[in-house]
Amino acid sequence: MGIFDILKGQLIDVIEWTDSSNDTMVYKYDMNGKEIMMGAQLTVRESQVAIFVNEGQLADVFQPGRYELSTSNMPIMTALKAWKFGFNSPFKSDVYFINTKQFLDLKWGTSNPVMMRDSEFGMIRLRAFGIYSFRVTDPEAFLKEVFGTSSLFTVDGVEGQIKRTLVSGLSDAIAESKIPALDLAANYDELANYAIQAINPKIAPLGLGLTSFVIENISLPEEVEKSMDKRTSMGVLGDLNKYTQYQAAEAMREAANNPGGVAGMGVGMGAGVSMGQMFAQAMAQPQQQAAPVQQAPAQGGAFCTGCGQQMIPGAKFCPNCGQKQEAANACPGCGNAVQPGAKFCANCGQKL
């Protein structure tokens, strides 16, 4: 092996990275103490961005494609290293590959209940969960703000930060939408879109962007769900009188199937009738309370000579049968009968 071969073994002439994982966000190319040959081939695949870092400073950024490294396509490195035009010597630099693909099917959920003021149930607590996906939208900002100097960075490094931001954004979306708790399930997509618009500005300084946000379920507290079940049951029952009859019939049928025979059937019928009476009384009480109170008949009026209906004092015809009445057959003061043609009541002396 000649000296040229030894020197060539210390140089890197091909730079590329193939990702075999599903969660690697940044990979630092392993130089293994070697230098990069001027004219080396750099391959950047789709959903990747390559960034050269010179002594801690971000230098040139390469989008997907195939490049032959030279001073013409490395202007920042040329300026940082003060290379003269046509520089062909090997050089040292850190190369980072940023994965810009979407990271999918990441789960989120509320670790603690989210407080909400509902117009129907008052103060309630909600729990929610779902999935989301994100990607690196600004590789340079991500490298500066998040990655640091490690050789490998995975989704775990930012997942916690994104989840907490998601829950906060969803809480704001639910509170500001003022959607009733019973209608939340019909507005999952609207809430998700609102949350994306609220969350992306918060994670943009980190070089990240939320691409999708899915709400799979928002659950209500157990006591609220029980209240909803009762309300649904009442709506299903409908007419309580018909329900009472149905219950009585069911009690009779079950009693007839009892081993006790006729005696058991009698007990079942009695129970069914008792239940029916209880429901009937419960339904009748509000109606009795709401029935209008009839006024007592007017005192001191005469009685019709034809049908006996009490009349208003001084009436000449009966309002019930229409028969004409004798003039002043009763005193308008005390109601005592008086003789036709009398000018004063024989009982109280009132002038007729």
Side-chain angles (χ1 to χ4, degrees), residues 62-329:
F62 293 87
Q63 299 296 330
R66 185 178 182 86
Y67 304 89
E68 182 178 338
L69 299 181
S70 64
T71 54
S72 60
N73 57 19
M74 302 179 67
I76 300 179
M77 283 289 293
T78 301
L80 290 176
K81 289 185 173 292
W83 289 337
K84 294 180 180 180
F85 183 77
F87 181 81
N88 293 317
S89 299
F91 64 94
K92 287 186 176 181
S93 175
D94 294 326
V95 181
Y96 294 91
F97 285 90
I98 314 298
N99 204 338
T100 59
K101 72 174 185 178
Q102 289 192 60
F103 296 94
L104 306 173
D105 199 26
L106 302 171
K107 302 184 183 301
W108 66 270
T110 54
S111 55
N112 295 310
V114 177
M115 298 298 295
M116 172 185 172
R117 186 187 301 276
D118 185 71
S119 58
E120 190 166 358
F121 297 106
M123 292 297 297
I124 58 175
R125 295 169 297 169
L126 301 176
R127 290 185 178 274
F129 63 87
I131 59 174
Y132 70 97
S133 60
F134 75 98
R135 72 189 330 155
V136 177
T137 56
D138 188 342
E140 295 182 60
F142 181 73
L143 206 63
K144 290 179 181 178
E145 303 294 337
V146 180
F147 175 62
T149 58
S150 58
S151 58
L152 186 69
F153 193 87
T154 63
V155 173
D156 294 337
V158 296
E159 193 172 7
Q161 175 73 17
I162 296 179
K163 282 183 178 180
R164 286 187 287 271
T165 308
L166 281 174
V167 173
S168 176
L170 179 63
S171 303
D172 292 342
I174 294 176
E176 294 181 12
S177 66
K178 297 182 180 179
I179 299 174
L182 297 179
D183 298 332
L184 286 174
N187 293 274
Y188 281 174
D189 290 341
E190 289 77 5
L191 288 173
N193 292 333
Y194 185 92
I196 289 177
Q197 296 175 6
I199 294 167
N200 272 333
K202 297 180 180 180
I203 62 176
L206 303 178
L208 302 174
L210 203 63
T211 55
S212 69
F213 179 58
V214 178
I215 301 174
E216 294 185 16
N217 183 56
I218 297 179
S219 59
L220 298 171
E222 184 178 356
E223 57 271 16
V224 176
E225 292 181 351
K226 289 182 179 179
S227 176
M228 292 171 57
D229 292 340
K230 290 181 180 178
R231 183 175 301 180
T232 304
S233 300
M234 292 299 295
V236 172
L237 291 180
D239 189 345
L240 287 180
N241 289 329
K242 293 182 179 179
Y243 179 71
T244 302
Q245 297 173 4
Y246 170 75
Q247 288 289 88
E250 284 293 305
M252 294 173 63
R253 182 181 63 81
E254 292 178 4
N257 294 330
N258 259 343
V262 176
M265 181 177 179
V267 173
M269 291 178 63
V273 172
S274 299
M275 183 181 297
Q277 291 176 348
M278 290 173 59
F279 275 101
Q281 292 174 1
M283 294 297 294
Q285 286 179 0
Q287 296 177 0
Q288 292 174 357
Q289 294 175 0
V293 179
Q294 297 181 352
Q295 296 182 353
Q299 300 295 328
F303 293 91
C304 176
T305 57
C307 64
Q309 175 73 27
Q310 187 173 11
M311 298 168 43
I312 300 173
K316 295 181 180 181
F317 295 92
C318 175
N320 184 44
C321 65
Q323 181 173 337
K324 185 176 181 180
Q325 305 298 310
E326 295 291 340
N329 61 351

